Amino acid sequence: MDNYDAIVVGAGFSGLYMLHRLREAGLSARVYEVGNDVGGVWYWNRYPGARCDVESIYYNFTFSKELLQDWTWSSRYAEQPEILSYLNHVADRFDLRRDVQFRTRVVSAHFDEAVGKWRVRTDDGREVTAKYFISGVGCLSSSSTPAFKGLEQFGGAQYHTGTWPHQPVSFAGKRVGVIGTGSSGVQAIPQIAAQAEHLYVFQRTAQYSTPAANHPYDRAYVDGVKANYPALHATVLKSWGGTTTRPRGDRSAFEDSEVQRLQRYEQAWTEGGWMHGLYKDLVTDASANETVCEFIRGKIREIVKDPKIAAKLTPTYLYGVKRPVMDTGYFETYNRDNVTLVDVKADPIANFTPTGLRTRDAEYPLDAVVFATGYDAMTGALFKIDIRGRDGVTLRDKWADGERIRTYLGLATAGFPNMFTITGPQSPSVLSNMVWSIEQHVEWIDACIRHMEANGIGVIEAKPQSEEAWSKHCHEVADATLFPKGESWYNGSNVEGKKMSFPIYLAGISVYRDICDRVAANAYDGFLQA
Ligand code: FAD
Ligand code: N01
């Protein structure tokens, strides 16, 4: 049986950088990846319109000055093929593929207390051992397709945005249904509408979306960014979310007059980007939040010509309690003659038929259906692996299927020694620029492992009281905001039957980084080490 110092699961941003750092530390490592190649999310999500919504200049690694200099993004929000090329470039530049085993799923990881190692099994029937087990499985990598009645008899083509085919898909001359209007649906819908004979959008919850205002980067601008990257990096590290695109406002929405506020919203709408950071209380005070909601609702009414369709597209909940979405021509799409919006809250989906989809009140003939129904987020990919710590306890049971997530710093969980979760639940992860959060986690894990190796430490493990305190703190921070008040994948409500305790640390990346650094500086305070 092969033995490694570390096993890493996943070859997206997380797994690739983790591998690089482990190698630099002189350790042996093996990465397992289900896909045929590197890229993670950007390998899988090839749907029309897929692109990042953190500006490209921030959505890259910063650990290598040379890498920063030799890669040039073409536009403000790079498209999927370009981001995938970037990750391939990273893999080539650091010769990473030779330690990645593709087309291989990790099915189980059991901590063997007798030898203090993880036994990791893969779907090719092999088992390996390793001192460290590191998850880079991704927060949004386990796609979710609801169990619609009759789907198995549907004769048309089926796609999920998160597992899109590698060959080009043409919707020309086709009647297409898109189910779901989250970030993926909102990006795909305008592009599919432009091709399809007819597009039916099945919307359960209306979406606040603001323009991305994407544009090609001016070469001089990018050169300027590159020349000043260290200063930019230092500024961003002090930010809340990991970009300087729209720093958090320092005053209340009510400190401005209505006229000033509307001017601010109008300017933000034109510049493009999310709006929840414009005032400091938009994420904490429902009445402040309502001001931005009403502004966006007004925009929807302005853009969408048919008032009945506009009404269906107008959200009523608070802005930002579902992950904010950015678009290119989303609401405008509903002015097209070949697009029909179906409100499936009012008229629920009943079942698929061999030739289409039936709601309670109507039937829609379809040649293809696109599931933009999202992910079993945060815990889905982790729970698909049978992870067992001390005494054979499964992670799934320990976290009560996600209802009782307990971690220390979002990096480790008691009873699961030498296991680390990159951008795991209870870290800033999905509410930050994830690439920089990944870098921070990987560097923290790397330093921790080096500390262990240098000091002859066999096992490191979160203390139960540390994780109780951290989990309580996470919830206190979240409960002071509006984020947990919505129905979204943040709490699992997009997946039938799922309930997840709010899984994101919301104090911001700068506060979080300081806490993690302090723990490391205090000899990994809060961890048991033996
Ligand atoms: P992933 O990229 O999800 O990679 C995880 C990999 O692990 C996958 O390739 C998967 O196949 C593999 N894997 C999982 N389980 C197993 C297993 N058991 N065995 C073997 N392999 C396994 N974040 C931002 O900050 N900004 C953005 O603009 C942004 N845009 C996004 C757009 C889309 C369409 C999506 C879906 C997400 C986006 N995200 C964005 C979030 C995104 O998850 C992160 O930015 C980042 O790509 C995560 O990298 P990762 O390596 O942690 O995980
Ligand atoms: O998934 P989602 P996503 N019947 O969960 C609907 C990142 N990302 O793939 O809101 C009918 O947001 C569901 O309805 P409801 C980003 O972090 C980023 O779009 O639950 N509808 C919702 O409309 C994002 O937040 C980008 O009522 C059903 C949709 O499906 C995350 O990934 C691009 C249904 C799912 O939306 C996930 O985004 C793409 C049912 N049974 C993704 N079940 C960028 O722009 C679910 N829905 C960077």
Side-chain angles (χ1 to χ4, degrees), residues 9-15 32-35 39-42 44-45 47 51-54 59 104-106 136-141 184 323 375 381 385 423 432-435 438:
V9 195
F13 275 103
S14 295
Y32 292 108
E33 166 58 57
V34 178
V41 150
W42 302 104
W44 295 107
N45 281 262
Y47 62 84
R51 52 161 50 106
C52 58
D53 60 6
V54 160
Y59 196 65
T104 308
R105 177 179 290 282
V106 170
V137 296
C139 301
L140 295 159
S141 63
S184 305
R323 186 187 185 273
Y375 297 88
I385 306 172
T423 69
S432 67
N433 166 6
M434 287 203 72
V435 180
I438 287 167

Side-chain angles (χ1 to χ4, degrees), residues 72 141 146 192 267 425:
T72 303
S141 63
I192 297 176
Q267 189 190 343

Side-chain angles (χ1 to χ4, degrees), residues 47 51-53 140 146 148 161 179-185 187 202 204-205 322-323 344 349 372-375 489 493-494:
Y47 62 84
R51 52 161 50 106
C52 58
D53 60 6
L140 295 159
F148 290 110
T161 51
I179 304 180
T181 53
S183 300
S184 305
Q187 286 185 329
F202 298 94
R204 187 163 69 181
T205 309
K322 278 183 181 296
R323 186 187 185 273
V344 298
I349 295 173
T373 42
Y375 297 88
W489 58 260
S493 70
N494 62 317

Side-chain angles (χ1 to χ4, degrees), residues 5-298:
D5 291 314
I7 292 296
V8 180
V9 195
F13 275 103
S14 295
L16 291 178
Y17 186 36
M18 193 71 245
L19 171 62
H20 176 63
R21 292 301 287 227
L22 289 164
R23 274 201 201 150
E24 297 271 291
L27 301 179
S28 62
R30 189 84 174 146
V31 177
Y32 292 108
E33 166 58 57
V34 178
N36 287 339
D37 209 338
V38 299
V41 150
W42 302 104
Y43 169 87
W44 295 107
N45 281 262
R46 297 166 190 244
Y47 62 84
R51 52 161 50 106
C52 58
D53 60 6
V54 160
E55 288 193 47
S56 309
I57 52 161
Y58 307 107
Y59 196 65
N60 49 216
F61 287 125
T62 62
F63 67 85
S64 156
K65 282 195 198 97
E66 296 74 25
L67 175 61
L68 269 173
Q69 292 305 321
D70 73 16
W71 185 263
T72 303
W73 294 109
S74 68
S75 68
R76 184 182 186 191
Y77 299 108
E79 291 183 37
Q80 173 271 335
E82 191 175 0
I83 305 173
L84 184 58
S85 299
Y86 171 75
L87 283 157
N88 275 286
H89 171 74
V90 171
D92 292 340
R93 198 175 212 292
F94 299 98
D95 186 22
L96 297 174
R97 280 192 188 77
R98 69 184 152 87
D99 287 322
V100 184
Q101 186 173 320
F102 295 106
R103 292 172 289 280
T104 308
R105 177 179 290 282
V106 170
V107 290
S108 68
H110 295 177
F111 185 67
D112 183 339
E113 294 186 57
V115 289
K117 285 190 175 171
W118 285 90
R119 291 181 179 280
V120 177
R121 288 199 43 234
T122 46
D123 62 357
D124 56 5
R126 303 219 179 121
E127 186 171 289
V128 295
T129 55
K131 180 170 175 182
Y132 304 104
F133 177 66
I134 305 173
S135 160
V137 296
C139 301
L140 295 159
S141 63
S142 177
S143 62
S144 160
T145 304
F148 290 110
K149 270 194 209 146
L151 184 55
E152 66 295 341
Q153 50 166 313
F154 176 59
Q158 296 180 31
Y159 307 96
H160 191 291
T161 51
T163 50
W164 202 261
H166 290 202
Q167 310 71 33
V169 175
S170 170
F171 292 113
K174 303 249 166 73
R175 296 158 305 175
V176 183
V178 172
I179 304 180
T181 53
S183 300
S184 305
V186 165
Q187 286 185 329
I189 284 164
Q191 305 247 344
I192 297 176
Q195 279 185 37
E197 179 189 304
H198 201 94
L199 172 65
Y200 298 92
V201 177
F202 298 94
Q203 171 196 274
R204 187 163 69 181
T205 309
Q207 188 65 261
Y208 290 105
S209 184
T210 53
N214 187 36
H215 54 74
Y217 273 144
D218 177 62
R219 184 65 205 223
Y221 169 75
V222 178
D223 288 347
V225 167
K226 286 190 189 188
N228 294 306
Y229 218 95
L232 177 78
H233 190 230
T235 311
V236 172
L237 290 185
K238 293 198 191 89
S239 71
W240 184 86
T243 77
T244 54
T245 307
R246 190 155 283 151
R248 287 226 135 176
D250 52 7
R251 62 182 192 278
S252 156
F254 298 116
E255 283 176 56
D256 276 351
S257 68
E258 191 178 351
V259 172
Q260 288 169 322
R261 213 165 43 232
L262 287 176
Q263 274 170 357
R264 196 131 192 241
Y265 291 156
E266 196 63 55
Q267 189 190 343
W269 184 270
T270 309
E271 288 168 358
W274 295 312
M275 297 179 74
H276 58 296
L278 288 172
Y279 292 104
K280 70 175 181 192
D281 49 358
L282 293 184
V283 295
T284 53
D285 177 344
S287 50
N289 188 291
E290 211 21 71
T291 65
V292 75
C293 293
E294 207 28 60
F295 174 80
I296 302 174
R297 290 177 195 135

